[in-house]
Amino acid sequence: MFKKNALRAATALSLVTAGSVSAETLTIAIVNNGHMINMQTVAEAYTKETGVELNWVSLEEGVLREQVTSDTATGGGQYDIINIGMQEAPIWGAAGWIEPLNFSADYDVDDILPAMRNGLSHEGQLYAAPFYGESSMVMYRKDLMDAAGVSITDNDSWDNVKAAAAAIHDPANGVYGACLRGKPGWGDNMAFITTVVNSFGGAWFDADMRPVLDSAEWNAAINFYVDLLGNYGPPGSEGNSFNEILALYNEGKCGMWIDATIAASFLEVDGVAYAQSPNAGNPVGANWLWAWAMAIPAGSPNADAAADFIEWATSKEYVKAVGNHAEYGWGSVPTGQRASTYAIPEFQAAAGFAAAELAAIESAAPGATDLKPYVGVQFAAIPEFPEVGSAVAQEMAAALSGAKSVEDALAASQKAADSIMKEAGYYD
């Protein structure tokens, strides 16, 4: 992949090449999450050392997925580097939409957590490098729980979670018992909802890849979700995803949040504790697995410079650069991607969430099972899933807002998913 020497550590802030890098501009499409936003500042040192200008296109999660998918699938050439995840990387790599990534020995690809490396590869070839990785877990205000005389434990029951949410719910004083994703999108509300469905013993498809959204398990899970968030969540939850809930939490308005482990890096309130994701009898798939990773669209004229940047931005040295950065520090480093990060004493001291995050990542179960006959936890690793998931997401948001009954929303979801899968040729 490389025609130039790979970038090496020169200081805690930057890497430089042993050879030369010509002045170029890389256009990078990123999701507008905190670690990606921080990278824009940290990478100023990269431009200073290499002369490579970086043109950042920061987009909300759902918009990013739509634009990047459309541009990459059609060979539009709008971006040199794109943020994608585990749903896309193996499929796009197999289809030839993105370039294979082969880094120098100094990069230490074996240091990437196995769950992340495997999820971003196809037939053993890495196609996207993880900038950060995540599972999901409970982040809760222990001070509020203690005051109410309730508790949350690892892998707790959903019934106990609901009871705890009810006990700390105090909307008159601006505190809501549970803040959960409701904004429609296959990676927005459906990421969380799918883990709930999994924990209730449900799945997206049966062994013949026929949708089973009209099952008793889906019905029980969605009724539970709508009841929990409707009674003990903030108003307008159908418009909330990661960034919206993070803001609410940091304003002191959320007593409990079940979401991406990476959120713990950005929580600013006191009294936060962590627990492994709850379930309703089936722990397999109750916590998701994801990485926001960096990939190169096939045919990019700047592929070599793009690969050099990705090697830098996903390296051990980048983690140290953030940790030593005056504006950020060790509690703000991107996590969930490298084993070595969790062994850094400064990180251990700053990140009270580290052990819980790593346990969640290592316990995630993306492999196919008899119950879930496809790869993926909160998604199905098939090309059609984004379309299926997006259609169902709209129906779930309608159920949450009260525009539709759960039963009607699930019936419409089943019909839409069945039509998509038939048209794709999975069955007649």
Side-chain angles (χ1 to χ4, degrees):
M1 184 68 199
F2 292 100
K3 295 180 181 177
K4 298 181 285 291
N5 293 325
L7 295 172
R8 303 289 194 262
T11 68
L13 288 176
S14 63
L15 301 176
V16 295
T17 61
S20 62
V21 180
S22 60
E24 298 178 77
T25 298
L26 297 176
T27 299
I28 308 173
I30 59 171
V31 66
N32 65 340
N33 290 347
H35 286 306
M36 304 297 183
I37 302 302
N38 293 353
M39 177 169 54
Q40 296 178 54
T41 299
V42 180
E44 290 172 1
Y46 184 90
T47 294
K48 182 178 179 180
E49 293 289 346
T50 65
V52 176
E53 297 291 335
L54 305 172
N55 176 32
W56 303 95
V57 180
S58 179
L59 301 168
E60 184 272 332
E61 187 170 320
V63 176
L64 174 86
R65 288 191 168 108
E66 291 177 4
Q67 292 196 10
V68 163
T69 300
S70 175
D71 190 71
T72 306
T74 59
Q78 189 174 352
Y79 308 111
D80 298 299
I81 298 172
I82 53 176
N83 266 175
I84 60 173
M86 291 182 172
Q87 202 284 330
E88 302 97 341
I91 296 171
W92 293 11
W97 289 9
I98 51 179
E99 298 281 358
L101 297 178
N102 298 295
F103 297 130
S104 68
D106 287 351
Y107 181 77
D108 192 6
V109 71
D110 291 334
D111 184 49
I112 297 176
L113 293 171
M116 301 304 159
R117 184 176 178 182
N118 294 337
L120 297 168
S121 298
H122 173 68
E123 296 183 346
Q125 172 62 58
L126 191 69
Y127 280 93
F131 183 68
Y132 69 78
E134 64 187 33
S135 183
S136 54
M137 64 181 179
V138 188
M139 295 160 281
Y140 64 95
R141 289 278 302 279
K142 189 175 185 301
D143 56 338
L144 297 181
M145 297 282 183
D146 289 347
V150 295
S151 62
I152 294 290
T153 61
D154 286 340
N155 308 123
D156 215 336
S157 71
W158 276 117
D159 287 340
N160 194 53
V161 166
K162 181 185 285 188
I168 62 175
H169 188 59
D170 186 11
N173 288 304
V175 176
Y176 303 99
C179 294
L180 307 168
R181 296 190 186 199
K183 187 175 184 177
W186 70 261
D188 287 293
N189 62 342
M190 295 316 301
F192 175 73
I193 288 173
T194 300
T195 62
V196 179
V197 172
N198 293 342
S199 79
F200 272 75
W204 278 92
F205 307 103
D206 64 15
D208 297 317
M209 294 304 290
R210 294 177 181 270
V212 286
L213 289 94
D214 54 358
S215 68
E217 291 80 9
W218 269 85
N219 187 281
I222 304 308
N223 270 295
F224 177 87
Y225 163 76
V226 169
D227 181 63
L228 174 62
L229 202 47
N231 286 313
Y232 309 116
S237 285
E238 65 275 10
N240 291 339
S241 192
F242 180 90
N243 284 333
E244 292 82 6
I245 300 174
L246 177 60
L248 287 171
Y249 204 107
N250 283 334
E251 291 167 5
K253 295 180 178 179
C254 298
M256 184 191 328
W257 183 20
I258 305 169
D259 209 298
T261 55
I262 202 72
S265 299
F266 300 100
L267 297 182
E268 299 170 355
V269 295
D270 295 328
V272 181
Y274 310 96
Q276 300 301 297
S277 290
N279 67 81
N282 178 35
V284 178
N287 53 300
W288 73 59
L289 184 67
W290 185 254
W292 276 114
M294 306 180 82
I296 305 169
S300 168
N302 299 317
D304 290 325
D308 280 347
F309 178 80
I310 291 174
E311 180 163 358
W312 173 78
T314 61
S315 67
K316 296 177 187 179
E317 287 73 24
Y318 179 86
V319 172
K320 294 175 184 176
V322 178
N324 290 315
H325 197 280
E327 188 175 345
Y328 304 123
W330 287 101
S332 298
V333 302
T335 61
Q337 81 289 50
R338 287 184 171 271
S340 59
T341 301
Y342 294 88
I344 298 172
E346 295 91 340
F347 172 69
Q348 293 174 351
F353 58 87
E357 177 183 65
L358 188 58
I361 289 171
E362 291 180 337
S363 65
T369 66
D370 290 341
L371 181 62
K372 179 183 70 66
Y374 47 83
V375 173
V377 182
Q378 77 282 18
F379 61 85
I382 59 173
E384 295 75 21
F385 182 75
E387 185 179 3
V388 172
S390 296
V392 176
Q394 295 292 338
E395 297 296 333
M396 296 302 99
L400 181 59
S401 71
K404 283 189 175 183
S405 68
V406 169
E407 290 69 26
D408 286 348
L410 286 173
S413 296
Q414 176 70 14
K415 182 178 180 180
D418 182 60
S419 175
I420 293 166
M421 296 300 281
K422 279 184 179 177
E423 185 175 351
Y426 283 88
Y427 50 87
D428 296 327

